[in-house]
Amino acid sequence: AQSVTQLGSHVSVSEGALVLLRCNYSSSVPPYLFWYVQYPNQGLQLLLKYTSAATLVKGINGFEAEFKKSETSFHLTKPSAHMSDAAEYFCAVSVNSASKIIFGSGTRLSIRP
Amino acid sequence: SAVISQKPSRDICQRGTSLTIQCQVDSQVTMMFWYRQQPGQSLTLIATANQGSEATYESGFVIDKFPISRPNLTFSTLTVSNMSPEDSSIYLCSALEVIPGITEAFFGQGTRLTVV
């Protein structure tokens, strides 16, 4: 069975600083990996996804993530945090393009002025 | 991209009653799913809604408590039966659109359920 583990339930960074949200996956087959963002009282929005093409994936709002098979990781980064980035971020995994998506526990990102 | 509408958006229900949540997608989609998001927590998959057959439930979820229907490729319902305060959560519908090279999952805005 596939799963993802998000390290750190809460991350706080200063505005303009690097954002790094960690995600490690477990899968018996090459995974499809996703990052979703959920703003307060809103639905889920897809930030980016890895589907076995390029290992460095660029998403919306300046976010990107790198798939590292050797480390079973798919960490999310953004060079410079903005106040509007404050939200809950979820890493997720599926085994193929037509399969259920399993979510990690989530990381709440706070931005300090 | 598919647009998902869920109804109701929120409800307050008495314990022991049942609530049916509707999920309508504006286009035909390959797969539909139902998730639960308890307060301050992540999304937990309840089941895969299969068109024309019984839903596939995840461990810990049963049909008697969460009956699901999917009569066609654009519509599904989830019923939360015999509710208790522990059922207070956000319930989200998701649709998977499988187009070669462009597979993407979409989510509804959710139904915020409070059981009193």
Side-chain angles (χ1 to χ4, degrees):
Chain A
Q2 63 276 18
S3 65
V4 288
T5 301
Q6 291 185 242
L7 302 175
S9 60
H10 183 210
V11 171
S12 179
V13 303
S14 298
E15 189 174 19
L18 171 72
V19 174
L20 171 61
L21 305 183
R22 300 178 186 273
C23 173
N24 288 92
Y25 70 90
S26 174
S27 179
S28 56
V29 298
Y32 286 59
L33 294 161
F34 311 84
W35 276 100
Y36 286 87
V37 61
Q38 186 177 39
Y39 297 100
N41 299 313
Q42 294 190 30
L44 283 169
Q45 182 180 10
L46 179 67
L47 274 178
L48 50 80
K49 61 183 176 184
Y50 166 77
T51 57
S52 75
T55 56
L56 181 61
V57 182
K58 294 186 183 298
I60 62 172
N61 302 338
F63 284 94
E64 64 181 37
E66 185 172 8
F67 173 73
K68 291 188 177 181
K69 184 178 179 180
S70 61
E71 299 177 8
T72 62
S73 69
F74 190 59
H75 302 330
L76 182 71
T77 60
K78 182 174 180 177
S80 177
H82 193 273
M83 295 300 291
S84 61
D85 294 326
E88 189 86 18
Y89 291 80
F90 295 99
C91 182
V93 64
S94 69
V95 295
N96 59 49
S97 62
S99 176
K100 60 189 180 185
I101 296 175
I102 305 300
F103 285 81
S105 56
T107 298
R108 182 163 61 92
L109 176 64
S110 300
I111 311 296
R112 301 188 301 271
Chain B
S1 61
V3 176
I4 299 177
S5 301
Q6 269 186 248
K7 286 194 287 188
S9 59
R10 59 177 62 229
D11 207 342
I12 301 173
C13 300
Q14 296 290 323
R15 67 177 67 199
T17 64
S18 298
L19 176 72
T20 295
I21 303 168
Q22 298 181 1
C23 177
Q24 179 72 56
V25 189
D26 69 346
S27 60
Q28 293 185 349
V29 291
T30 308
M31 304 183 77
M32 295 181 74
F33 307 91
W34 286 97
Y35 289 84
R36 179 175 72 183
Q37 186 175 25
Q38 293 177 301
Q41 298 191 28
S42 184
L43 284 76
T44 300
L45 181 64
I46 297 172
T48 302
N50 300 309
Q51 192 221 343
S53 64
E54 191 172 289
T56 304
Y57 289 85
E58 297 297 307
S59 175
F61 297 96
V62 295
I63 188 172
D64 289 346
K65 176 67 175 177
F66 297 102
I68 288 170
S69 77
R70 188 181 174 194
N72 56 51
L73 292 176
T74 64
F75 186 77
S76 178
T77 66
L78 167 74
T79 299
V80 186
S81 303
N82 188 25
M83 288 183 285
S84 67
E86 292 71 35
D87 294 320
S88 297
S89 290
I90 298 173
Y91 292 85
L92 295 105
C93 173
S94 173
L96 195 65
E97 194 167 54
V98 181
I99 303 172
I102 321 174
T103 300
E104 187 163 340
F106 300 92
F107 289 82
Q109 291 295 305
T111 296
R112 186 178 296 270
L113 171 63
T114 303
V115 183
V116 297

